[in-house]
Amino acid sequence: MTTSAQGNEPAAPTGSAAPTANAMRRALKRARDGVALDTAEAAVLLQARGDDLKDLMASAARVRDAGLEAAGRPGIITYSRSVFIPLTRLCRDKCHYCTFATVPGKLRRAGHGMFMSPDEVLAIARRGAEMGCKEALITLGDRPEDRWPEAREWLEAEGYDDTIAYVRAMAIRILEETGLLPHLNPGAMTWTDFQRLKPVAPSMGMMLETTAERLWSEPGGPHYGSPDKEPAVRLRVLEDAGRSSVPFTSGLLIGIGETQVERAESLFALRRVSRSYHGIQEVIIQNFRAKPDTAMRGMPDAELDDLVATVAVARHILGPSACIQAPPNLVDAEYEQLIGAGIDDWGGVSPLTPDHVNPERPWPQVDELAERSAAAGFSLRERLAVYPEYIQRGEPWLDPRLLPHVTALADPGTGLAREDAIPAGLPWQEPEEAFSASGRTDLHHTIDTEGRTGDRRKDFDEVYGDWEALREAAAPGMVPSRIDGDIKSALARAADDPTKLTDPEALALFHADGPALDALCRIADDLRRAAVGDDVTYIVTRNINFTNVCYTGCRFCAFAQRRTDADAYTLSLDQVADRAQQAWDVGAVEVCMQGGIHPDLPGTAYFDIARAVKERVPGMHVHAFSPMEV
């Protein structure tokens, strides 16, 4: 994107060359025939207009209808009855079209805090529950404490380490005090953020917006100066959401300067992540609407035909099982066209709160949506913040601590919202004493920093004998005279040539005790001296416990956890590399990878772990992976 000569307003988007009639005809036929499209064909179809657009919409609608039939809800379009909670409007990014983000001074002058207080959050949630809402949409800026000292000071004063900690705390209070289901939009999250938030929210979201890197990297682009809008960062977030089994909402913001080819590439990127990790529960196609007092105030709005064509192409690319949404408040009541293009969801609609991201565009009334959907041949049904498919799949997509909250509101047959359900607060966590009684500890911290110090059996001496007493029973250097015959014969063979030991003789030596054990040790020591001399070697290493999640269920193991346990963890690749770097910096030359057999990690994860270490510290030796992992 470039800037206009008149000032800092971005110029209109760079369009693609108009397709030829033959190219459009071929692409439409492939869409009608259900043939997989490529990027070039998708870019052609994004420019369909008039009769061509009607043709494209008709084939997209057929794909959508087949998906609804397979999902067991034919002829149904869904929405979520929600409240919008803008937890903070501070953000470290500087998107050129945004009116949601603001600065501390404006908040103070308006009489607001840097963050909404718990009382303000719960007042909205309680009122929403009274009005039949079931979702608490928590939206905020990305990591404001990294840019604004005032945000950091507020968090410290309230006792929170960072914004994510406050989001987690508010989600728990909403669950326990109102029964609404939190849907979290805290921006670009790390792997650790997902592990912290997954137990307190059944779904999360972040718009991909676009994969066009130039719109982020070049001056004048809509995302220039916004670290969290780098496409590679946002794609990594989508992948981590899938790896963490988090039902995730994403989508595109169209009309911000991307070309048709770039828009098509963004849709294919969403498909790739969805097929790889199966975690994208819905895709939003959102049209740009210019706002006053922004750098892009002079940019033309994305046209309706552009939005409709993008919805239809998204349906063809993402397939029948995808859930595709278009916000109804960002169009001028052209609901039937969006239904005709292949959407199956209207997103969150609130009877209480405005769309704080687009405050100038009020939500339609639910009755109006129902009437307009019926006019297009569809029934409107309420869903929850987490889509039915993920409710029905259960663990690992739905954390057990959230199960009571979700099942209290969900129809057990369809997974949609129960029409008669009234949200009510429920305890979020099992009682602390029950958790403590389970014997689980914060292994992520204690093993990595203190090591395991208490994992010996308390009855070791009783079962195996008093080791020190046995050692003292024989005088040093004494040649044993009273030793069991089988053991004595095996000792003689070992002293003569240990390579000639038979299996029964080796088994007998396992039972060597007292003087016999001393004799066995002397033979072994002489063998060591003859083979390698008196030099004893060691290596400076660090154990990296990359995950404590394991499905094998070994009964003697105090390390392994279930993936839904509160103390379960899986390190990100950056965290693994950081630990390797720390070890190298203090003189280690090896890292030893230890971890459970995580049922959700793909086979490629082990290659990724080794690669992450070698890329960060090329000279580090990686000692890793057991036969099970291989």
Side-chain angles (χ1 to χ4, degrees):
M1 174 173 282
T2 57
T3 54
S4 64
Q6 285 74 29
N8 293 324
E9 295 182 5
T14 304
S16 302
T20 65
N22 283 338
M24 181 64 72
R25 189 161 49 249
R26 285 195 300 270
L28 285 171
K29 184 178 186 306
R30 290 177 68 84
R32 283 195 304 273
D33 293 344
V35 179
L37 302 174
D38 61 22
T39 303
E41 291 163 341
V44 167
L45 293 175
L46 286 168
Q47 300 177 74
R49 299 295 184 268
D51 289 341
D52 291 337
L53 181 56
K54 291 179 182 178
D55 189 341
L56 176 64
M57 292 168 61
S59 58
R62 287 195 296 273
V63 175
R64 183 266 322 280
D65 293 344
L68 290 176
E69 181 78 31
R73 50 178 187 272
I76 291 177
I77 282 186
T78 53
Y79 80 102
S80 176
R81 196 173 182 91
S82 66
V83 292
F84 195 127
I85 299 176
L87 197 63
T88 179
R89 292 179 58 198
L90 299 180
C91 183
R92 70 174 179 176
D93 295 325
K94 304 174 183 178
C95 299
H96 296 187
Y97 48 75
C98 181
T99 58
F100 178 79
T102 187
V103 298
K106 287 186 177 180
L107 290 175
R108 278 194 294 263
R109 287 193 294 273
H112 300 307
M114 299 300 106
F115 291 76
M116 292 180 68
S117 70
D119 287 345
E120 291 172 323
V121 169
L122 292 169
I124 294 174
R126 289 192 183 103
R127 180 65 179 136
E130 292 170 359
M131 299 179 70
C133 298
K134 299 177 180 67
E135 173 185 345
L137 172 62
I138 300 180
T139 295
L140 56 149
D142 283 74
R143 303 190 183 280
E145 66 270 31
D146 289 355
R147 178 182 177 189
W148 302 109
E150 295 90 339
R152 187 164 54 253
E153 291 165 3
W154 189 96
L155 291 167
E156 290 175 353
E158 297 297 322
Y160 298 101
D161 293 336
D162 54 19
T163 296
I164 295 297
Y166 188 49
V167 171
R168 176 184 165 92
M170 290 302 96
I172 292 172
R173 291 198 64 179
I174 288 170
L175 288 165
E176 292 196 323
E177 299 184 37
T178 74
L180 296 186
L181 302 179
H183 176 83
L184 307 181
N185 286 334
M189 289 172 274
T190 67
W191 178 280
T192 303
D193 294 338
F194 278 117
Q195 312 316 309
R196 295 165 69 187
L197 296 179
K198 177 178 170 62
V200 303
S203 61
M204 304 180 211
M206 182 203 71
M207 294 288 282
L208 173 62
E209 298 195 5
T210 180
T211 56
E213 187 169 343
R214 65 184 180 85
L215 300 185
W216 168 78
S217 63
E218 297 178 6
H223 295 151
Y224 187 72
S226 300
D228 300 291
K229 292 303 177 75
E230 182 181 2
V233 169
R234 296 180 90 74
L235 286 170
R236 188 266 303 158
V237 172
L238 298 185
E239 292 170 349
D240 282 351
R243 291 190 182 103
S244 302
S245 300
V246 172
F248 206 71
T249 294
S250 192
L252 304 188
L253 176 59
I254 69 168
I256 58 174
E258 78 285 1
T259 66
Q260 305 292 0
V261 171
E262 289 168 336
R263 191 180 302 173
E265 290 172 341
S266 300
L267 286 170
F268 277 101
L270 285 172
R271 186 179 75 173
R272 176 185 61 78
V273 174
S274 180
R275 289 184 175 182
S276 296
Y277 304 102
H278 310 289
I280 296 182
Q281 67 168 0
E282 68 174 334
V283 172
I284 302 172
I285 306 299
Q286 181 173 332
N287 49 318
F288 168 78
R289 303 299 296 251
K291 298 178 177 63
D293 300 323
T294 66
M296 295 176 67
R297 58 189 176 275
M299 188 91 156
D301 290 349
E303 297 179 353
L304 178 63
D305 283 351
D306 208 15
L307 174 63
V308 169
T310 305
V311 168
V313 172
R315 174 57 69 188
H316 280 291
I317 290 174
L318 299 173
S321 62
C323 296
I324 298 179
Q325 173 204 133
N329 61 318
L330 297 186
V331 296
D332 297 320
E334 296 95 349
Y335 305 139
E336 287 88 342
Q337 290 195 59
L338 292 173
I339 294 174
I343 69 163
D344 61 317
D345 187 78
W346 290 118
V349 177
S350 179
L352 176 64
T353 54
D355 178 354
H356 289 277
V357 176
N358 301 282
E360 76 284 0
R361 309 288 303 189
W363 303 111
Q365 296 296 314
V366 172
D367 289 345
E368 180 187 2
L369 268 184
E371 291 172 3
R372 300 298 289 271
S373 298
F378 284 81
S379 300
L380 185 67
R381 285 288 305 275
E382 184 184 1
R383 62 166 173 84
L384 302 179
V386 56
Y387 269 70
E389 290 76 9
Y390 295 91
I391 296 175
Q392 292 165 346
R393 291 175 193 172
E395 192 181 352
W397 296 100
L398 189 60
D399 190 284
R401 283 160 286 191
L402 296 169
L403 186 61
H405 303 82
V406 174
T407 54
L409 303 176
D411 183 318
T414 65
L416 296 171
R418 267 182 37 225
E419 295 182 3
D420 61 343
I422 300 175
L426 294 169
W428 166 73
Q429 178 64 281
E430 60 186 350
E432 184 175 352
E433 58 272 16
F435 182 77
S436 300
S438 70
R440 287 173 277 164
T441 59
D442 180 11
L443 294 174
H444 186 350
H445 178 266
T446 56
I447 284 185
D448 205 43
T449 58
E450 301 174 17
R452 183 179 289 128
T453 57
D455 58 349
R456 267 189 59 167
R457 292 182 58 154
K458 290 182 170 47
D459 59 350
F460 187 91
D461 291 341
E462 177 184 334
V463 174
Y464 298 107
D466 187 336
W467 180 269
E468 294 301 325
L470 289 171
R471 291 180 62 85
E472 294 171 1
M478 182 183 73
V479 177
S481 58
R482 298 180 61 186
I483 298 178
D484 179 85
D486 290 342
I487 296 178
K488 189 172 183 179
S489 174
L491 285 172
R493 180 66 60 88
D496 179 52
D497 185 352
T499 65
K500 295 180 179 179
L501 280 169
T502 65
D503 287 351
E505 288 172 335
L507 184 60
L509 292 178
F510 277 116
H511 297 280
D513 200 358
L517 180 60
D518 279 347
L520 177 61
C521 291
R522 174 63 64 86
I523 293 169
D525 192 42
D526 289 343
L527 181 62
R528 183 267 310 159
R529 183 174 294 105
V532 299
D534 286 328
D535 290 336
V536 178
T537 59
Y538 70 98
I539 189 167
V540 180
T541 187
R542 179 180 187 176
N543 287 353
I544 298 180
N545 302 288
F546 59 91
T547 184
N548 67 346
V549 177
C550 189
Y551 71 82
T552 56
C554 300
R555 296 185 179 182
F556 56 78
C557 183
F559 172 77
Q561 302 294 299
R562 299 170 301 176
R563 53 190 162 192
T564 53
D565 286 343
D567 48 357
Y569 68 86
T570 301
L571 301 183
S572 69
L573 295 177
D574 283 343
Q575 289 172 317
V576 170
D578 288 344
R579 283 161 168 73
Q581 182 69 61
Q582 292 163 4
W584 183 265
D585 290 344
V586 296
V589 294
E590 175 193 87
V591 288
C592 177
M593 296 298 169
Q594 294 184 322
I597 309 300
H598 197 309
D600 297 332
L601 286 182
T604 54
Y606 300 109
F607 293 93
D608 294 340
I609 288 170
R611 185 180 298 110
V613 172
K614 298 298 284 189
E615 287 180 350
R616 180 73 66 85
V617 191
M620 184 70 81
H621 175 68
V622 180
H623 176 79
F625 309 138
S626 68
M628 284 186 67
E629 291 157 333
V630 172

